[in-house]
Amino acid sequence: MAVKNVLEAIRATMFEEMERDERVFLLGQDVGRHGGVMNASMGLYDAFGEERVVDTPLAESSIVGIAIGAALGGLLPIAEIQFGDFVLSAVDQIISEAAKMRYRSNNDFHCPIVVRVPYGGGIHGGLYHSQNVESIFFSTPGLKIVAPTTPADVKGLLRAAIYDPDPVIFMEHKLAYRSIKGEFPEGAYDLPIGKADVKRVGKDLTVIAYGMMMHYALGAAEQLAEEGIETEVIDLCTLLPLDRETLVASAKKTGKVMVVHEDNLTGGIGAEVAASITEEAFMYLDAPIKRVAAPDIPSTPYNPILERAMIPTQEQILIGMRELARF
Amino acid sequence: MAVKNVLEAIRATMFEEMERDERVFLLGQDVGRHGGVMNASMGLYDAFGEERVVDTPLAESSIVGIAIGAALGGLLPIAEIQFGDFVLSAVDQIISEAAKMRYRSNNDFHCPIVVRVPYGGGIHGGLYHSQNVESIFFSTPGLKIVAPTTPADVKGLLRAAIYDPDPVIFMEHKLAYRSIKGEFPEGAYDLPIGKADVKRVGKDLTVIAYGMMMHYALGAAEQLAEEGIETEVIDLCTLLPLDRETLVASAKKTGKVMVVHEDNLTGGIGAEVAASITEEAFMYLDAPIKRVAAPDIPSTPYNPILERAMIPTQEQILIGMRELARF
Amino acid sequence: MATKRHIELGLSDQDILDMYKTMVVARAVDDRADILVRSGKIPFTVLGQGQEGAQVAAAQTLVAGRDWVLPYYRDVGVVLAMGMSLREVMLFEFGKADDPNSGGRQMPKHWGHRRLRIVSQSSPVATELPHACGLAWAMRLKKEEGIVWASFGDGVVSKGDFHEALNFAGIHKLPIVFFCENNYYAISVPFSKQSPVPSVADRASAYGMPGVSVDGNDVFAVYKASLEAAERAKRGEGSTLIEARTYRFAPHTSNDDDRRYRSREEVEKWKRLDPIARLFAYLKEHGLLDEERAAAIRSDAEKEVLEAAQWAERAPDPDPASVGAYVYAQEGDAHGR
Amino acid sequence: MATKRHIELGLSDQDILDMYKTMVVARAVDDRADILVRSGKIPFTVLGQGQEGAQVAAAQTLVAGRDWVLPYYRDVGVVLAMGMSLREVMLFEFGKADDPNSGGRQMPKHWGHRRLRIVSQSSPVATELPHACGLAWAMRLKKEEGIVWASFGDGVVSKGDFHEALNFAGIHKLPIVFFCENNYYAISVPFSKQSPVPSVADRASAYGMPGVSVDGNDVFAVYKASLEAAERAKRGEGSTLIEARTYRFAPHTSNDDDRRYRSREEVEKWKRLDPIARLFAYLKEHGLLDEERAAAIRSDAEKEVLEAAQWAERAPDPDPASVGAYVYAQEGDAHGR
Ligand SMILES: Cc1ncc(C[n+]2csc(CCOP(=O)(O)OP(=O)(O)O)c2C)c(N)n1
Ligand SMILES: Cc1ncc(C[n+]2csc(CCOP(=O)(O)OP(=O)(O)O)c2C)c(N)n1
Ligand SMILES: [Mg+2]
Ligand SMILES: [Mg+2]
């Protein structure tokens, strides 16, 4: 198996599926000749031409809206939003249109689009190139939200997203693009949307995370193992629909749960994770579910010192885990 | 004190403040000669003229964007969104601009706007005239969200919202407009944004709600009282910032907490309420925090039978309270 | 006696009589819907009386099942012309389980019918216009024949999505007809507070496409402009923006009171321009119709509509247990059609 | 010898020399910022070399502290002309605590400076254009003098907010100058894939306002159009949309590689139209400047810029504990200014 980073995995997967199924096409800003500001589509324009790798005008609402229309017309569109922060002008198309198409038409129409959303901080992006926008969509039934952060998970879930009959927000952590490498499975490799993945088995406590925080949690778990504490690390992989089953099972096993996200605390996905587990595993919990998240600040500032002060670190996660383990 | 319904309270409060402070003005669709499709601005156009009661084009992003600009220019705008469902095309202006103005300018600029958002189901509004959009904004620091549902609370919090130096989403439950009546305090009556209100004192369990559900909870509490169970009913009034202190204090007192909302369950404000209380009052809880909410469906259907099947009822709340009390 | 405009335009006597009938039936549907609300049989409806001429004439240039049609909530004339049955329309008015548009989930007249290629419409306006571009893109990639037709009101022109859609359609010369039924009000907001320019057609030049403004109550003017636009689209020359100047006789919806913002004189003035009456005068002038047969057409229409309404009223409501169905695909749902 | 265009336009010799100097200083700022990135002293910047002529000429028609100015991220020339100091600009490049624009919170060049009435700008484009309308509305209600000036790139014209803002400005004849610096690319997307019409000025007629397209590297053409637009606005005749045709010499940002989408020939062609060189030629022709004094102006500018950069580099960073400050108002914050 070849080793790729997350960005290469996204590119290779789009390439493979566009070769395999001509209904698949990509649209977005600079995705064509340029290859995308993240370089996610490098080479696609030359391989598939300007009608399947579409450089759109600077207009996100229409990027998603055109994708929706193309999906209704029988294509399988991948809409690239250049930075997740800019998906906000497409919220109406995503929530009013894509998420409700099947329901409102009583199953007569459906909307198989993928909206690729590069998100997350730690890249000196400042307030508008760092946001975690997932919680804005998390309360919308009809949407699916996936956030894989290993090259293999990216392949399995991007393929699943492309062929999923319903709209999928595909979250890509920008810091993971180059920093996270791993094996890239060949050929038809699929993962189910809606399943969390136990990335590390442990008996003493459970840490639930996604995105870069999941990798930090894995690192912290190794550190804690040296202290004789075995942490189970669960990668949500899919945020919506939430895989409550896997989370609750682990909580019942360890009795101590921590949820971590880079998004700010209030109204973050950690709230639903904590509430859901507590509802179903209350009697098994030795401690309240602990949340580690960014402070309630509008977004991540540009200055590196402020940026570091904003984003949860592996150290913070480790300290939280230790406290929880000792509870 | 005069008795008014919620709609009359909104109208009277806007009238009083526009008379008192000429920086206050209203903009939105049909707010002028028509008086608003909800009739919230009836009479304002004749009293204050077309420059302070502005009929805008059909364009929500600009309605909020113009309000932001006017606020930067020294006015105190009230932007009316005709139906909360249509605020979705203004999400970018609200989250990217209004919520971040103070933070991004390091306190050099601020954004004192009010966005009035009629929301909620039960009015045969179908999928797009019924939504509970609060959870979309709930994860955005820099915003305030208030949702009063008595005429007195409406006056106190609308006044507070108008003069608040930061952006406030003012949620108005459409079903409360005419169905909820009460005393309307004269003169300078203010309530603090960020404080929950204990609408009913009880020792056996706590029910936390807002909007119409708060009224149903009060009704259910009276029913339950006949069974000798005393329920404390807390009206959140402000959703963001969340008044954790009041909620936790009540939870510690009763040890049994239920949170109710009309919004769908997953990612709703109930998740944060449950997670926050559990974090701080875990040892005091006799039972997991119970959530009563709409099922995870994109929005409320039009057919009355489906509509009834969607929206939580007082009966459901009562049953849930009984279960919890017996836990 | 004047030349026969319908013949000049390639419409047979039968065509123009059928168009007349469809207009009359559309009118009867809304008249009935109005009664249904007033009598408390349904909670709500939207009415399009006065706009049937523009609707039916435009739809006459479309091919059901080939062209993608995105009609708006006043377009009873359009959906009837595309083949939606009166029973289907009435099932929607009553929000019944078998309503093919939404199974009773949407407010009446938010059309959608896959077999007829009528695309499911939401309430937020303008969001459908980028969909029209995407549908046209799909037709291009799939090398399908046909065009995309989207209608909307004058207020919709103010929305960002209108701009983004027409911009994209203009850049890529997509085969779309953008059809604006300008009735000069967006609920109460008059066109003068909605638009800085006197005609919606004045917007077209910004998108590098022709803008045509026609008397929307003149079926021939609308048909001619629509036909030219459709042919232009099929020739690969791109989109056209058509403004059909018309008027709604009724309030905005059954919840609205238009006396707050429109003078009765203005309404009366427009009623004298009723497209149905105008077409009748033409048909009579050319000996294609007389009062008696027109009366028969009207009463037949009313009978059919009433029958459909009574049938729909008795039709089953949705099962409350179905409220959770179709949030996501279930096993066996068709995909990627 | 040709007539003196600056005199015709009411600019004194001193005015035009000052404009030249500001352009040179703006150029020096971006040249230095480029070096700061390459030498790893700052992580990122945006460069506007080539657009200084349009920027400084437009700003020359504005009054600091009276007019509301909404400049975009390439507008070093604008903010300098409005009175932002080199030290303030460099504090922003370094993201330092005393940066008056954002206290180091925003990426460089997302301007904002209340005292100068430079309105805080975000990254998402076009969102500021409705703000311009709101500011104009506030001026109208408060009976303030002055106008609102907003600049943006050619890509921004595609956004819904552009449309919604110009539509509202057109309806209410607001005193706004919409100034588009068309450099023919939105990152890599060429104007031909951004716009169905050859000029941004072609969009104006849809909003009932004049559209003027000028050579953006000709300071006199830009000044003349901007002055006329500002005076029109002050006369209460409404907004104007100006397209200044120009070019960015540098890549989109310090992260971009423009060789992927622009030929070197094209870049060289435009460099021969450098607005600074062109203004120098004019000033020399009219005996207002010679090579020697121009060289001195350039080296003085470089010295001042370098001094400001070195000073800013030593300036304190924000206190990490301040990360949570100013999410909401605190006691004693000014309100409703
Ligand atoms: C985005 C959005 N905002 C507001 C509304 C509420 N609304 C429904 S119809 C309407 C007026 C539409 O006017 P126009 O486009 O002229 O069409 P008409 O109803 O006159 O035929 C409004 C404001 C809506 N449906 N969508
Ligand atoms: C809404 C939004 N989408 C995408 C971006 C990313 N982006 C930053 S600048 C830019 C191109 C802007 O081009 P143009 O308007 O022509 O201005 P220029 O940079 O050429 O001066 C893009 C796409 C953004 N800032 N905002
Ligand atoms: Mg209209
Ligand atoms: Mg550009």
Side-chain angles (χ1 to χ4, degrees):
Chain A
M1 271 210 265
V3 167
K4 292 190 189 301
N5 65 30
V6 163
L7 184 65
E8 292 160 343
I10 291 164
R11 187 188 305 141
T13 305
M14 289 198 292
F15 193 99
E16 287 174 11
E17 299 317 314
M18 287 182 73
E19 260 196 328
R20 193 156 76 99
D21 188 328
E22 56 178 25
R23 294 174 303 169
V24 182
F25 81 107
L26 176 68
L27 71 164
Q29 293 154 17
D30 304 289
V31 298
R33 175 160 291 116
H34 183 289
V37 298
M38 306 292 176
N39 299 333
S41 58
M42 288 252 268
L44 268 60
Y45 183 87
D46 296 334
F48 302 105
E50 64 177 7
E51 289 197 335
R52 289 184 67 201
V53 184
V54 185
D55 270 324
T56 64
L58 204 178
E60 284 76 9
S61 185
S62 62
I63 290 172
V64 174
I66 291 162
I68 291 168
L72 297 175
L75 301 181
L76 299 177
I78 303 171
E80 176 178 303
I81 300 296
Q82 198 161 71
F83 285 89
D85 311 69
F86 307 134
V87 78
L88 292 179
S89 52
V91 162
D92 194 24
Q93 284 289 349
I94 293 170
I95 294 182
S96 300
E97 298 298 323
K100 295 178 173 59
M101 188 62 69
R102 182 184 296 278
Y103 191 80
R104 81 182 186 214
S105 67
N106 207 32
N107 217 29
D108 201 25
F109 289 89
H110 63 289
C111 189
I113 65 169
V114 176
V115 182
R116 291 184 37 239
V117 177
Y119 76 106
I123 58 156
H124 306 307
L127 302 174
Y128 296 102
H129 298 79
S130 303
Q131 286 174 83
N132 289 259
V133 294
E134 55 273 27
S135 49
I136 292 166
F137 300 104
F138 183 65
S139 57
T140 298
L143 287 182
K144 298 180 178 183
I145 309 173
V146 300
T149 38
T150 71
D153 291 351
V154 158
K155 175 162 186 175
L157 285 169
L158 183 51
R159 276 169 51 92
I162 289 169
Y163 298 104
D164 192 283
D166 290 305
V168 180
I169 310 285
F170 191 87
M171 309 279 300
E172 306 171 359
H173 199 292
K174 299 190 293 294
L175 196 55
Y177 277 144
R178 290 179 178 75
S179 68
I180 305 298
K181 300 184 181 58
E183 289 186 336
F184 182 77
E186 247 106 90
Y189 178 77
D190 286 303
L191 290 173
I193 292 176
K195 285 297 298 169
D197 182 42
V198 178
K199 285 275 194 296
R200 186 183 195 283
V201 177
K203 57 177 192 2
D204 301 325
L205 72 157
T206 300
V207 178
I208 300 163
Y210 60 96
M212 286 307 292
M213 294 300 135
M214 191 280 295
H215 292 283
Y216 299 166
L218 280 174
E222 291 311 314
Q223 292 174 271
L224 208 58
E226 291 161 16
E227 303 170 23
I229 299 165
E230 285 308 327
T231 307
E232 183 144 297
V233 178
I234 300 181
D235 183 352
L236 282 177
C237 292
T238 297
L239 309 185
L240 191 72
L242 189 64
D243 180 6
R244 292 182 168 91
E245 210 177 293
T246 301
L247 307 183
V248 168
S250 180
K252 287 182 174 173
K253 182 174 81 174
T254 66
K256 293 178 173 181
V257 180
M258 177 164 116
V259 53
V260 190
H261 51 65
E262 183 181 311
D263 197 1
N264 59 284
L265 181 81
T266 299
I269 281 151
E272 181 62 49
V273 168
S276 297
I277 292 174
T278 308
E279 271 159 12
E280 298 180 43
F282 185 70
M283 293 312 179
Y284 297 80
L285 294 179
D286 310 328
I289 294 176
K290 190 182 192 67
R291 289 186 288 168
V292 173
D296 285 325
I297 290 170
S299 181
T300 306
Y302 175 72
N303 177 289
I305 290 169
L306 296 178
E307 187 178 37
R308 276 193 296 277
M310 175 77 185
I311 300 173
T313 61
Q314 180 164 323
E315 185 60 21
Q316 277 169 267
I317 295 169
L318 178 62
I319 291 164
M321 285 161 66
R322 220 183 258 124
E323 279 173 19
L324 188 59
R326 297 234 181 84
F327 190 93
Chain B
M1 270 210 268
V3 168
K4 292 190 189 301
N5 65 31
V6 163
L7 184 65
E8 292 161 343
I10 291 165
R11 188 188 306 141
T13 305
M14 289 198 292
F15 193 100
E16 288 174 10
E17 300 317 315
M18 287 181 74
E19 266 199 322
R20 193 156 73 101
D21 188 329
E22 57 179 24
R23 294 174 303 168
V24 181
F25 81 107
L26 176 68
L27 72 164
Q29 294 154 16
D30 305 290
V31 299
R33 176 160 289 112
H34 183 290
V37 298
M38 306 293 175
N39 299 333
S41 57
M42 289 252 267
L44 269 58
Y45 183 87
D46 295 333
F48 302 107
E50 64 177 8
E51 290 197 336
R52 289 183 67 201
V53 184
V54 185
D55 270 323
T56 65
L58 206 178
E60 284 76 8
S61 184
S62 62
I63 290 172
V64 174
I66 291 161
I68 291 168
L72 297 175
L75 301 181
L76 299 177
I78 303 171
E80 175 177 304
I81 300 297
Q82 197 161 72
F83 285 89
D85 311 68
F86 307 133
V87 78
L88 293 178
S89 51
V91 162
D92 194 24
Q93 285 288 350
I94 293 170
I95 294 181
S96 300
E97 299 297 322
K100 295 178 174 60
M101 187 63 68
R102 182 184 296 277
Y103 191 80
R104 81 184 186 212
S105 67
N106 208 31
N107 217 30
D108 200 26
F109 289 89
H110 63 290
C111 189
I113 65 169
V114 176
V115 183
R116 289 185 39 238
V117 177
Y119 75 106
I123 59 156
H124 307 308
L127 302 175
Y128 297 101
H129 298 78
S130 301
Q131 286 173 81
N132 290 258
V133 294
E134 55 273 29
S135 49
I136 293 166
F137 300 104
F138 183 64
S139 57
T140 297
L143 288 181
K144 298 180 179 183
I145 309 174
V146 300
T149 39
T150 70
D153 291 352
V154 158
K155 174 162 186 174
L157 285 169
L158 183 51
R159 275 169 52 91
I162 289 170
Y163 298 104
D164 192 283
D166 290 305
V168 180
I169 310 285
F170 191 87
M171 308 279 300
E172 306 172 359
H173 199 292
K174 299 190 293 294
L175 195 54
Y177 276 144
R178 289 179 180 74
S179 69
I180 306 298
K181 300 184 182 56
E183 289 188 337
F184 182 77
E186 330 265 275
Y189 178 76
D190 286 302
L191 290 173
I193 291 176
K195 286 296 298 170
D197 183 40
V198 179
K199 285 275 193 293
R200 186 184 196 283
V201 177
K203 58 178 190 0
D204 301 324
L205 73 156
T206 300
V207 177
I208 299 162
Y210 61 95
M212 286 307 292
M213 294 300 135
M214 190 282 295
H215 293 283
Y216 298 166
L218 281 173
E222 291 311 315
Q223 292 175 271
L224 208 57
E226 290 160 14
E227 303 170 24
I229 299 165
E230 285 308 327
T231 307
E232 182 142 298
V233 178
I234 300 180
D235 182 351
L236 282 178
C237 292
T238 297
L239 309 185
L240 191 72
L242 189 65
D243 180 7
R244 293 182 167 92
E245 211 177 293
T246 301
L247 307 183
V248 168
S250 180
K252 287 182 175 174
K253 182 175 79 174
T254 65
K256 292 178 174 182
V257 180
M258 177 163 119
V259 53
V260 190
H261 51 66
E262 183 181 310
D263 198 0
N264 59 285
L265 181 82
T266 299
I269 281 150
E272 181 62 49
V273 168
S276 297
I277 292 174
T278 308
E279 271 160 11
E280 298 180 44
F282 185 70
M283 291 313 178
Y284 298 80
L285 294 178
D286 311 326
I289 293 175
K290 189 181 193 66
R291 290 186 288 168
V292 172
D296 285 325
I297 290 170
S299 182
T300 306
Y302 175 72
N303 177 289
I305 289 168
L306 295 177
E307 188 179 36
R308 275 193 297 276
M310 175 76 184
I311 300 173
T313 61
Q314 180 165 323
E315 184 60 22
Q316 275 169 269
I317 296 169
L318 177 63
I319 291 165
M321 285 161 64
R322 221 184 255 122
E323 278 172 22
L324 189 57
R326 297 229 182 85
F327 191 93
Chain C
M1 154 164 157
T3 61
K4 294 192 173 177
R5 290 178 69 192
H6 69 284
I7 300 296
E8 288 171 2
L9 293 168
L11 292 167
S12 70
D13 290 355
Q14 193 54 53
D15 293 333
I16 193 67
L17 275 169
D18 290 343
M19 288 166 66
Y20 178 81
K21 283 192 188 125
T22 306
M23 288 162 63
V24 171
V25 175
R27 175 70 53 92
V29 165
D30 278 343
D31 290 347
R32 174 58 50 185
D34 191 22
I35 293 166
L36 292 171
V37 173
R38 293 174 191 283
S39 59
K41 285 181 182 287
I42 62 175
F44 173 85
T45 197
V46 186
L47 303 171
Q49 293 102 323
Q51 302 183 197
E52 302 92 342
Q55 293 166 6
V56 172
Q60 184 70 20
T61 64
L62 304 173
V63 177
R66 181 199 73 181
D67 300 325
W68 286 106
V69 181
L70 293 75
Y72 90 117
Y73 47 80
R74 297 196 196 284
D75 283 337
V76 174
V78 173
V79 297
L80 290 176
M82 300 314 296
M84 199 178 292
S85 74
L86 285 173
R87 288 186 167 197
E88 290 178 315
V89 171
M90 282 299 167
L91 284 167
F92 201 2
E93 292 291 322
F94 281 93
K96 293 305 181 82
D98 298 333
D99 152 35
N101 298 278
S102 80
R105 291 172 167 198
Q106 290 227 72
M107 284 180 142
K109 291 168 173 153
H110 290 62
W111 315 109
H113 198 303
R114 169 169 285 285
R115 185 172 49 74
L116 300 174
R117 286 204 160 188
I118 295 170
V119 180
S120 174
Q121 297 300 302
S122 64
S123 296
V125 300
T127 45
E128 72 280 7
L129 300 179
H131 303 174
C133 295
L135 286 155
W137 200 263
M139 287 180 135
R140 178 172 288 181
L141 264 61
K142 294 167 81 179
K143 308 210 172 1
E144 288 181 14
E145 294 234 308
I147 66 166
V148 181
W149 183 90
S151 68
F152 48 90
D154 43 294
V156 175
V157 173
S158 300
K159 280 288 281 187
D161 274 2
F162 167 88
H163 176 68
E164 296 190 6
L166 272 77
N167 194 54
F168 190 82
I171 292 165
H172 294 284
K173 298 210 168 301
L174 297 178
I176 307 175
V177 177
F178 294 101
F179 189 79
C180 180
E181 299 178 32
N182 185 356
N183 56 21
Y184 294 93
Y185 288 88
I187 306 184
S188 75
V189 177
F191 193 58
S192 59
K193 282 191 171 175
Q194 190 74 240
S195 173
V197 288
S199 166
V200 170
D202 297 337
R203 309 282 193 159
S205 61
Y207 308 112
M209 64 178 72
V212 187
S213 181
V214 295
D215 176 349
N217 291 1
D218 173 349
V219 292
F220 302 110
V222 174
Y223 179 75
K224 184 169 185 295
S226 298
L227 196 65
E228 281 165 10
E231 278 165 359
R232 229 182 131 258
K234 285 181 214 141
R235 285 196 305 271
E237 293 168 22
S239 304
T240 302
L241 174 60
I242 298 175
E243 172 192 59
R245 303 187 305 274
T246 182
Y247 200 78
R248 60 170 159 82
F249 295 159
H252 173 66
T253 68
S254 53
N255 292 340
D256 181 41
D257 174 6
D258 65 327
R259 285 184 307 262
R260 287 193 194 175
Y261 55 85
R262 301 195 303 190
S263 74
R264 293 309 91 186
E265 297 62 43
E266 180 181 291
V267 177
E268 285 318 311
K269 188 195 103 222
W270 277 95
K271 281 189 171 168
R272 287 192 292 276
L273 301 171
D274 186 335
I276 293 178
R278 282 169 69 179
L279 183 53
F280 170 73
Y282 171 90
L283 294 170
K284 188 181 174 196
E285 178 187 7
H286 295 288
L288 294 168
L289 197 63
D290 59 25
E291 277 76 4
E292 197 179 316
R293 293 198 8 260
I297 289 171
R298 171 74 201 184
S299 63
D300 291 353
E302 284 168 356
K303 247 195 258 76
E304 289 167 36
V305 168
L306 180 61
E307 177 282 328
Q310 290 169 334
W311 177 85
E313 187 175 1
R314 292 189 304 269
D317 274 305
D319 173 355
S322 73
V323 69
Y326 311 133
V327 176
Y328 298 103
Q330 296 140 302
E331 279 311 316
D333 281 335
H335 177 32
R337 288 177 292 192
Chain D
M1 154 166 157
T3 60
K4 295 192 173 175
R5 291 176 68 193
H6 68 285
I7 301 296
E8 288 172 2
L9 293 168
L11 292 167
S12 71
D13 290 356
Q14 193 54 54
D15 293 333
I16 192 66
L17 276 170
D18 290 343
M19 287 166 67
Y20 178 81
K21 284 189 187 133
T22 305
M23 288 162 64
V24 171
V25 175
R27 177 70 53 92
V29 165
D30 278 343
D31 290 348
R32 173 58 49 186
D34 191 23
I35 294 167
L36 292 172
V37 173
R38 294 174 191 281
S39 59
K41 284 180 181 288
I42 62 175
F44 172 86
T45 197
V46 186
L47 302 171
Q49 293 101 324
Q51 301 183 200
E52 303 93 341
Q55 294 166 5
V56 172
Q60 184 70 21
T61 65
L62 304 173
V63 177
R66 181 199 71 183
D67 300 325
W68 286 106
V69 181
L70 292 74
Y72 89 116
Y73 47 79
R74 298 197 196 281
D75 283 338
V76 175
V78 173
V79 298
L80 291 177
M82 299 314 295
M84 200 178 293
S85 74
L86 285 172
R87 288 185 167 195
E88 291 178 314
V89 171
M90 281 299 166
L91 284 167
F92 201 1
E93 292 292 321
F94 282 92
K96 292 305 180 84
D98 299 332
D99 152 36
N101 298 277
S102 79
R105 291 171 168 198
Q106 291 226 70
M107 285 179 141
K109 290 168 173 152
H110 289 62
W111 315 108
H113 198 302
R114 169 168 286 283
R115 186 173 48 74
L116 300 174
R117 285 202 161 190
I118 296 171
V119 180
S120 175
Q121 297 299 302
S122 65
S123 296
V125 299
T127 45
E128 72 280 7
L129 300 179
H131 304 174
C133 295
L135 286 155
W137 200 263
M139 287 179 133
R140 179 172 288 182
L141 264 61
K142 294 167 82 179
K143 310 211 170 0
E144 290 181 10
E145 296 234 305
I147 65 167
V148 181
W149 183 91
S151 67
F152 47 91
D154 43 294
V156 174
V157 173
S158 300
K159 281 288 281 186
D161 274 2
F162 167 88
H163 176 68
E164 296 189 5
L166 272 77
N167 194 55
F168 189 82
I171 292 165
H172 294 284
K173 299 213 168 301
L174 297 179
I176 306 175
V177 177
F178 294 101
F179 189 78
C180 181
E181 300 179 31
N182 184 356
N183 57 20
Y184 294 93
Y185 289 89
I187 305 185
S188 75
V189 178
F191 193 58
S192 59
K193 282 192 171 174
Q194 190 74 240
S195 172
V197 288
S199 166
V200 169
D202 297 337
R203 309 282 194 159
S205 61
Y207 307 112
M209 63 178 73
V212 186
S213 181
V214 295
D215 176 348
N217 292 0
D218 173 350
V219 293
F220 301 111
V222 174
Y223 179 75
K224 185 169 184 298
S226 299
L227 196 65
E228 282 165 10
E231 279 166 358
R232 227 183 133 261
K234 285 181 212 141
R235 286 195 305 270
E237 294 167 22
S239 303
T240 303
L241 174 59
I242 299 175
E243 173 192 59
R245 303 186 306 273
T246 183
Y247 201 77
R248 60 170 159 84
F249 295 159
H252 173 65
T253 68
S254 53
N255 292 339
D256 181 40
D257 174 6
D258 65 326
R259 285 185 307 262
R260 288 194 194 175
Y261 55 85
R262 300 196 305 189
S263 74
R264 293 309 91 185
E265 296 62 42
E266 181 181 292
V267 177
E268 286 317 312
K269 188 194 103 222
W270 276 93
K271 281 190 172 169
R272 287 192 292 277
L273 301 172
D274 186 335
I276 294 178
R278 281 169 70 178
L279 183 54
F280 170 73
Y282 172 90
L283 294 171
K284 185 180 177 196
E285 178 187 9
H286 295 288
L288 295 169
L289 197 63
D290 59 25
E291 277 78 3
E292 198 178 316
R293 290 192 15 253
I297 290 170
R298 170 73 201 185
S299 62
D300 291 353
E302 284 168 358
K303 246 194 257 80
E304 290 167 35
V305 168
L306 180 60
E307 176 282 330
Q310 290 169 334
W311 177 85
E313 187 175 2
R314 292 189 304 268
D317 274 305
D319 173 354
S322 73
V323 70
Y326 311 133
V327 176
Y328 298 102
Q330 296 139 300
E331 278 311 316
D333 282 332
H335 178 31
R337 287 178 291 193

